[in-house]
Amino acid sequence: MKYEVLTKDGRAKSARMETVHGIIETPVFMNVGTVGAIKGAVSTDDLREIGTQVELSNTYHLHVRTGDRLIKQFGGLHKFMNWDRPILTDSGGFQVFSLAKLRRIREEGVHFNSHIDGHKIFMGPEESMQIQSNLGSTIAMAFDECPPSRASDQYIRDSVDRTTRWLLRCKEEMARLNALPDTVNREQLLFGINQGGVVDEIRIEHARTIREMNLDGYAIGGLAVGESHEEMYHILDVTVPHLPEDKPVYLMGVGTPANILEAVDRGVDFFDCVYPSRNGRHGHVYTNQGKLNLFNQQYELDSRPIEEGCGCPACRSYSRAYIRHLLKAKEMLGMRLCTLHNLYFYNTMMKEIREAIRERRYAGYKASKLAGMEGPPKG
Ligand SMILES: [Zn+2]
């Protein structure tokens, strides 16, 4: 793995990362395909067409349904889903803590019941690494606890200390797995995760501790879980400077276009979020003039594309009126076209962000992009 910062513009950085599955140009938005597909009937051919660089899949979901051992028999997730570019898998931790029923956290890991059929599962750092190794993703995420946003400082401190001990176990297990002859991707990368709620000192202390572990990248987790945008930006302000500048920084689960523009300005270069696909399935589409709800009656006779000049498969061929009709008729194509447009919008925004940083005009770009999206809707 080679990660090279190409340009810095203020705190914003644009980098190039070489992986066994190809190059990732950052800042990048990873498109979220929970169970190995983006919801809304989006294929990997579609991903290539809408400019996806990295696909993200959820370890927990693939483990409980179909199973990582079966996927390994197909040569890993890349072959199973027919995608040859980078894939990032999360650790499963977030879903275990948010979806699973009756969980018990112990030093060795977490005992919980599957949200599908209730069967008992145990997942700790080693299990998470083994599952991600079976999937053969490009980047694996460390197994961590995302403490509840209302947890006490003492709870957060204890949880973060355990996350650090788990991170050491993840690193050792990944090294062991990457040395085995039948491992799908023996160059699998490991990103560690910074936690600490919205407590500055815990965040900073944890960042300082994990930066010493010489990991392939560093994520900031446990944000966008109920705190205000200002609190999130503040945590980025105080935490990112304590992470290594020569490694990628990933802000997990964030966010709106405005959140991304602000986080890029604070040194973040990897993002993921379900908003564009989830909103697309509900007929909410992003434009440079703000979000539109295609269910609204005002689009009934609107022959324009979702956004004039957009090169996505929806805007190249179909009108707002037709897509509205499909959505109203609950035709799958309506959700699919809106999802494709939204992901294309995010991927295109990231391309504009990279160009703006490389031409050292990011501040101006950010201001005009935000002004356009936050202004009165013109559609
Ligand atoms: Zn479009």
Side-chain angles (χ1 to χ4, degrees):
M1 193 278 279
K2 193 170 146 224
Y3 174 85
E4 186 190 359
V5 177
L6 302 176
T7 315
K8 282 207 75 178
D9 184 12
R11 285 181 292 167
K13 60 177 177 175
S14 178
R16 192 185 142 94
M17 180 168 161
E18 286 175 26
T19 76
V20 282
H21 299 116
I23 287 162
I24 303 168
E25 306 233 26
T26 82
V28 61
F29 180 77
M30 299 184 282
N31 296 187
V32 184
T34 304
V35 296
I38 289 168
K39 286 191 206 299
V42 177
S43 71
T44 47
D45 284 335
D46 295 323
L47 296 188
R48 283 180 265 273
E49 196 180 338
I50 60 172
T52 303
Q53 293 194 72
V54 185
E55 196 269 354
L56 184 152
S57 283
N58 293 121
T59 290
Y60 169 83
H61 288 288
L62 290 168
H63 178 62
V64 296
R65 192 143 43 192
T66 300
D68 46 286
R69 289 204 178 91
L70 182 144
I71 292 169
K72 187 182 182 183
Q73 285 179 41
F74 280 87
L77 189 55
H78 280 91
K79 289 196 175 135
F80 193 51
M81 67 186 282
N82 187 32
W83 175 250
D84 58 5
R85 295 181 192 174
I87 296 177
L88 181 141
T89 43
D90 65 3
S91 69
F94 186 78
Q95 280 76 23
V96 167
F97 289 103
S98 60
L99 281 181
K101 310 262 183 281
L102 299 168
R103 55 184 166 70
R104 281 181 295 125
I105 309 168
R106 296 287 180 267
E107 183 62 26
E108 67 270 21
V110 187
H111 299 267
F112 60 96
N113 293 69
S114 155
H115 77 294
I116 307 276
D117 58 11
H119 83 273
K120 287 196 174 76
I121 307 178
F122 170 76
M123 198 187 286
E126 290 78 13
E127 288 73 18
S128 173
M129 292 300 107
Q130 287 155 16
I131 298 166
Q132 294 183 75
S133 180
N134 286 342
L135 298 172
S137 56
T138 317
I139 301 167
M141 296 303 300
F143 188 73
D144 65 332
E145 183 193 1
C146 173
S149 53
R150 297 165 310 280
S152 68
D153 285 14
Q154 191 55 53
Y155 183 94
I156 294 173
R157 205 170 276 285
D158 293 343
S159 161
V160 166
D161 287 347
R162 184 172 50 225
T163 286
T164 305
R165 294 191 295 276
W166 283 357
L167 180 54
L168 282 168
R169 284 164 56 189
C170 286
K171 195 182 172 196
E172 279 172 20
E173 181 65 6
M174 166 128 321
R176 187 186 74 81
L177 292 163
N178 281 355
L180 297 177
D182 71 332
T183 290
V184 176
N185 173 18
R186 298 180 64 189
E187 292 182 61
Q188 193 168 35
L189 306 171
L190 177 64
F191 282 17
I193 304 174
N194 169 264
Q195 289 286 358
V198 288
V199 187
D200 294 8
E201 308 81 70
I202 304 179
R203 283 276 175 188
I204 293 168
E205 204 182 300
H206 191 230
R208 284 183 177 153
T209 305
I210 62 176
R211 71 171 290 155
E212 300 304 320
M213 293 188 196
N214 191 28
L215 301 164
D216 299 304
Y218 291 87
I220 297 173
L223 291 178
V225 292
E227 80 287 355
S228 70
H229 289 168
E230 286 64 35
E231 284 176 301
M232 174 167 84
Y233 301 150
H234 171 75
I235 289 298
L236 294 176
D237 283 333
V238 301
T239 309
V240 175
H242 296 282
L243 295 172
E245 203 164 281
D246 60 347
K247 295 287 173 71
V249 175
Y250 166 23
L251 177 57
M252 301 180 80
V254 175
T256 65
N259 293 155
I260 291 175
L261 288 162
E262 294 294 347
V264 163
D265 218 359
R266 290 163 173 82
V268 175
D269 50 13
F270 276 66
F271 297 90
D272 80 283
C273 188
V274 295
Y275 287 165
S277 46
R278 183 181 290 164
N279 281 326
R281 297 198 300 281
H282 292 98
H284 295 237
V285 288
Y286 293 88
T287 79
N288 284 305
Q289 287 78 46
K291 226 175 345 160
L292 313 180
N293 179 354
L294 288 182
F295 277 98
N296 287 347
Q297 180 135 26
Q298 69 184 106
Y299 306 115
E300 194 175 22
L301 289 165
D302 197 332
S303 59
R304 291 172 296 173
I306 295 170
E307 179 145 60
E308 304 276 3
C310 173
C312 87
C315 294
R316 284 201 317 257
S317 305
Y318 305 104
S319 65
R320 292 175 179 181
Y322 177 63
I323 298 170
R324 178 177 187 276
H325 154 75
L326 294 174
L327 290 166
K328 297 280 281 184
K330 296 191 167 54
E331 196 56 58
M332 201 183 294
L333 181 59
M335 291 196 276
R336 181 178 135 78
L337 292 173
C338 291
T339 304
L340 288 175
H341 168 83
N342 281 354
L343 291 172
Y344 185 91
F345 179 88
Y346 267 66
N347 292 337
T348 303
M349 182 180 82
M350 302 316 291
K351 195 166 156 225
E352 292 168 2
I353 287 173
R354 293 192 293 273
E355 284 165 3
I357 296 171
R358 287 173 198 183
E359 292 163 15
R360 294 194 166 79
R361 51 177 179 80
Y362 185 68
Y365 167 79
K366 181 183 111 175
S368 69
K369 192 85 176 170
L370 286 173
M373 287 188 295
E374 286 165 1
K378 297 169 191 78

